[in-house]
Amino acid sequence: MDTLYDLTVHAALSRLNAGEISSLDLTQALLARIQAVENNVCAYLRVLEEDALKQARYADQRRAEGDLSPLLGIPIALKDTFSTKGVETTCGSQILRGYIPPFDATVVRRLKDAGAVILGKTNQDEFAMGSSTENSGFFPTHNPWDLTRVPGGSSGGSAAAVAAGEALAALGTDTGGSVRQPASLCGLVGVRPTYGRCSRYGLIAFASSLDQPGPLARTVADAALLLQVIAGHDPRDGTSWPDAVPDYLAALRADVRGLRIGVPKEYFVTGVQPDVEKAVRDALNVLQNMGAELVEVTLPHSEYALPVYYLIAPAEASANLARFDGMRYGLRKEGATIEEMYARTRGAGFGPEVIRRIMLGTYALSAGYYDAYYLKAQQVRTLIKSDFDRAFEQVDVIIGPTSPVTAFRLGERTANPLEMYLADIFTLSQALAGIPALSLPCGCDAQGLPIGLQIAAPALHEVRMFQVAYAYEQATTWHTRRPPL
Ligand code: GLN
């Protein structure tokens, strides 16, 4: 008998619609799987067992009444960055312990309206700062492909949950790679949409000019369906695009003939694990054999993406995180004066990486340094964006590796923050440029660990990115591999 927890969202929907299974069966199968493997994987901060069963029964009732909502009865996990009405939301931080939002993030509301069953809130790096989920204020998450390794981050709990069969799909957030990099390390499809394609309302903010929610799923079609549901204008987010959302699923044709694929020479450099480079080159050959044309392009300012990101993101974070002071949300450590209360609360509630970023950001914004650091970083950000604009005059999409390495060992990079920052070397520049990018499985290394292929497209051209990804997926079997858990 096949296992319900391993189904794609599309397979589950067709079995639900055919009446072969109920959402209650499906949700129970997922909860049983969580029972069986969660002790080893540690993907969830909170499993909403009773609530999920209630939603599943309700979904079954709606289906019986003829409701055809696109995710009706599908169990989905949410990163703890998303505000969820009535459910503790910590963003992976001790400082938000006990905080229960009185509202849903817009994308959460849209998932619920589409009929999704929310299984729980997943672990993450504190305030989404990290690449391994080891910066969680609670516990690290383990990679289902090898429990001694990291799942990536910061949406590592969401990625591990889907890879381990503890959810059919999940939402994460991507500020500089936090959906794509864990998708790559866990063998999933992960999408960072165009900045503004999805509402940020109700996301606990890290860096507001970069944050975007995005889906993690087992196939391109599943990811496209999830994005379809969550994307679109929201009057509550002034940076969300007013443009209509195209039909992503209708665009999934396995045809890349005549498409021009940009291959940036800056993405094939020393430091890339040899089997990652080989898998990406093999994937490019597959696409070429299907009729796409490979064109070498150059993104000359790529080398500045890391320093630019680590000025802009911490600067914005230092402002965003000022609201956590012990007065309004979560933790409070009393003190003799209000300043002492702030200091004790923040000192106790924030972990070391968050404190490091607040200090870096505050410094970069301070009088006398603003022009030298923050302003300069903004100028170089514009150059990084112009690199992409120029490249997209010649090509339709840009392809390279998502991560320079496969899943590294727990503890391997925690001692050196710079080494951890390098995990996102290939995912930062698309975020800085505001363009969409997706990661999908394209191979495995000698240990059997997944390798991810990154496909980027011009702003608002997610359709193109999905089309190429879908064509590649149909021609290969990497997406059918499951971890030996
Ligand atoms: N790893 C990067 C960071 O630590 C990106 C994180 C993210 O996208 N949220 O900031």
Side-chain angles (χ1 to χ4, degrees):
M1 194 187 113
D2 58 350
T3 39
L4 294 182
Y5 60 75
D6 254 348
L7 293 176
T8 64
V9 172
H10 277 86
L13 281 171
S14 55
R15 292 177 67 169
L16 285 166
N17 290 336
E20 293 165 26
I21 56 168
S22 67
S23 174
L24 189 61
D25 297 335
L26 192 58
T27 305
Q28 280 168 339
L30 266 306
L31 290 170
R33 176 69 173 171
I34 292 171
Q35 271 282 319
V37 301
E38 179 59 8
N39 272 344
N40 294 323
V41 180
C42 308
Y44 282 95
L45 288 173
R46 273 167 299 290
V47 177
L48 307 171
E49 187 167 340
E50 264 174 49
D51 209 45
L53 291 170
K54 209 167 95 190
Q55 292 172 54
R57 285 196 190 91
Y58 181 55
D60 286 333
Q61 190 189 323
R62 278 167 65 182
R63 181 167 264 106
E65 288 162 3
D67 189 332
L68 291 171
S69 296
L71 291 174
L72 191 58
I74 298 296
I76 282 177
L78 296 175
K79 186 181 187 180
D80 209 27
T81 306
F82 295 99
S83 299
T84 39
K85 187 174 179 174
V87 174
E88 190 184 23
T89 297
T90 64
C91 210
S93 182
Q94 289 287 341
I95 209 163
L96 278 173
R97 257 187 117 134
Y99 168 59
I100 298 180
F103 70 109
D104 277 322
T106 296
V107 295
V108 172
R109 174 103 310 276
R110 288 187 179 168
L111 280 182
K112 288 184 177 173
D113 288 347
V117 170
I118 308 300
L119 282 171
K121 305 293 293 290
T122 58
N123 196 22
Q124 60 167 96
D125 288 299
E126 186 177 3
F127 289 107
M129 298 172 185
S131 311
S132 69
T133 316
E134 291 165 295
N135 293 341
S136 164
F138 299 94
F139 46 77
T141 295
H142 300 244
N143 190 315
W145 292 86
D146 175 347
L147 295 169
T148 69
R149 293 175 187 271
V150 303
S154 64
S155 312
S158 284
V162 179
E166 298 183 80
L168 295 195
L171 287 194
T173 59
D174 189 309
T175 302
S178 280
V179 167
R180 292 163 286 157
Q181 186 258 12
S184 175
L185 270 48
C186 288
L188 302 172
V189 178
V191 179
R192 175 190 171 86
T194 305
Y195 180 79
R197 184 79 282 189
C198 296
S199 167
R200 290 181 293 109
Y201 179 76
L203 267 64
I204 294 175
F206 164 10
S208 306
S209 76
L210 294 156
D211 297 343
Q212 265 299 291
L216 288 132
R218 297 192 176 118
T219 63
V220 174
D222 283 3
L225 172 58
L226 255 75
L227 185 62
Q228 192 85 54
V229 167
I230 63 169
H233 183 244
D234 177 10
R236 289 190 166 113
D237 175 1
T239 62
S240 74
W241 282 95
D243 312 44
V245 180
D247 189 337
Y248 296 131
L249 287 167
L252 300 181
R253 284 172 285 113
D255 183 7
V256 291
R257 268 170 305 171
L259 244 122
R260 282 163 309 164
I261 294 176
V263 185
K265 56 173 189 252
E266 291 81 4
Y267 289 10
F268 297 87
V269 287
T270 48
V272 179
Q273 195 177 308
D275 28 17
V276 170
E277 171 158 0
K278 184 179 180 311
V280 172
R281 295 230 184 255
D282 288 349
L284 288 167
N285 285 337
V286 168
L287 289 163
Q288 191 175 30
N289 290 336
M290 293 173 77
E293 186 192 338
L294 304 186
V295 181
E296 191 184 80
V297 294
T298 174
L299 303 169
H301 297 93
S302 296
E303 60 174 310
Y304 303 114
L306 193 104
V308 166
Y309 175 87
Y310 279 97
L311 283 165
I312 292 175
E316 294 183 14
S318 71
N320 275 326
L321 269 54
R323 61 169 68 85
F324 304 113
D325 55 10
M327 288 302 283
R328 287 161 294 184
Y329 318 95
L331 186 79
R332 177 193 299 218
K333 294 273 182 207
E334 296 298 345
T337 61
I338 195 163
E339 282 83 8
E340 194 180 303
M341 189 277 282
Y342 288 164
R344 292 192 59 204
T345 300
R346 289 166 70 83
F350 288 141
E353 182 61 26
V354 174
I355 291 174
R356 183 178 299 120
R357 304 258 182 133
I358 291 173
M359 289 170 68
L360 280 171
T362 311
Y363 182 80
L365 290 175
S366 56
Y369 296 104
Y370 182 93
D371 288 2
Y373 295 114
Y374 184 71
L375 196 67
K376 185 60 77 182
Q378 292 290 18
Q379 289 164 340
V380 182
R381 180 179 189 173
T382 304
L383 295 176
I384 290 170
K385 186 181 173 296
S386 330
D387 281 358
F388 282 106
D389 292 344
R390 253 192 306 277
F392 283 126
E393 282 168 14
Q394 295 176 55
V395 296
D396 300 299
V397 293
I398 290 176
I399 297 190
T402 306
S403 163
V405 295
T406 53
F408 43 95
R409 289 196 188 280
L410 285 151
E412 195 180 312
R413 294 184 181 219
T414 41
N416 183 346
L418 245 187
E419 246 183 73
M420 192 67 88
Y421 298 171
L422 283 167
D424 286 296
I425 190 80
F426 294 136
T427 51
L428 299 172
S429 53
Q430 303 82 1
L432 289 165
I435 62 172
L438 148 171
S439 181
L440 86 163
C442 74
C444 64
D445 70 4
Q447 279 82 45
L449 300 168
I451 296 171
L453 183 74
Q454 183 170 217
I455 306 176
L460 296 177
H461 284 83
E462 281 85 359
V463 158
R464 236 185 254 177
M465 166 181 104
F466 280 132
Q467 193 188 337
V468 176
Y470 183 73
Y472 175 79
E473 187 185 67
Q474 296 310 298
T476 54
T477 56
W478 298 112
H479 63 286
T480 61
R481 290 176 78 231
R482 297 283 183 268
L485 193 65

